[in-house]
Amino acid sequence: MDEQAKKTALRGITYGLYVIGTKLGDDVNAFTGNWVTQTSFAPPLVAIGVKKGTASCDGIRESGVFSVNVLESGQKDLAFQFFKPVSRVGNKFGDVEFYTSTTGSPILKDALSWFECKVTDTVDRGDHVLFVGEVVDAGVHRSGDPLTLRELGLFYGG
């Protein structure tokens, strides 16, 4: 296989940028992710890829739930805040406020929209775990265009 061709082709897949919320026992966590896609209308299913060996991956495995916060175009700084582990104090990650709903996973007040899922299937292959979740709750904070990885000038894949 031509490695450069593979890398170029895989980088042609378009991605959004999301803050994925997890539950860790009685605590919560969140991280920036981009491997998110809807996989079914009825029931509404979503798949996410989560890096193995992280607290977030372990939290989703143990709790069986996660939230996906859709960021708005221009929210680059918000996305970057969750590229590294974040500390929670009360209902904030740093200066980012959140609340919880059906699953107890964090929902960012500044997100464009959000949805929560209960894990239905897990595929453990490669360096990420694929979690498939059924959407059990959703909300919209405002209308707007979602943030994309391309907007940030970043590439993921290959």
Side-chain angles (χ1 to χ4, degrees), residues 15-22 29-36 48-51 54 56-57 60 67-72 75-86 93 96 106 108 128 147-149 152 154 156:
Y15 295 105
L17 210 53
Y18 312 90
V19 173
I20 299 171
T22 67
N29 188 38
F31 66 96
T32 299
N34 68 328
W35 285 346
V36 176
I48 63 170
V50 183
K51 187 175 181 180
T54 62
S56 295
C57 187
I60 294 171
S67 61
V68 176
N69 295 274
V70 179
L71 301 182
E72 187 172 8
Q75 287 187 313
K76 173 183 176 180
D77 292 341
L78 182 56
F80 280 132
Q81 288 185 49
F82 293 91
F83 275 6
K84 296 178 183 175
V86 293
F93 294 113
V96 179
L108 304 185
H128 281 62
L147 179 65
T148 65
L149 198 60
L152 301 182
L154 301 175
Y156 203 72

Side-chain angles (χ1 to χ4, degrees), residues 62-128:
E62 290 173 20
S63 69
V65 297
F66 61 89
S67 61
V68 176
N69 295 274
V70 179
L71 301 182
E72 187 172 8
S73 177
Q75 287 187 313
K76 173 183 176 180
D77 292 341
L78 182 56
F80 280 132
Q81 288 185 49
F82 293 91
F83 275 6
K84 296 178 183 175
V86 293
S87 296
R88 169 192 175 202
V89 177
N91 70 331
K92 289 185 177 184
F93 294 113
D95 62 348
V96 179
E97 285 188 65
F98 71 89
Y99 61 95
T100 60
S101 187
T102 302
T103 69
S105 301
I107 298 164
L108 304 185
K109 287 187 174 185
D110 288 338
L112 190 61
S113 59
W114 57 272
F115 52 91
E116 294 182 277
C117 297
K118 288 190 178 179
V119 175
T120 61
D121 299 277
T122 302
V123 178
D124 191 338
R125 302 268 320 245
D127 56 8
H128 281 62

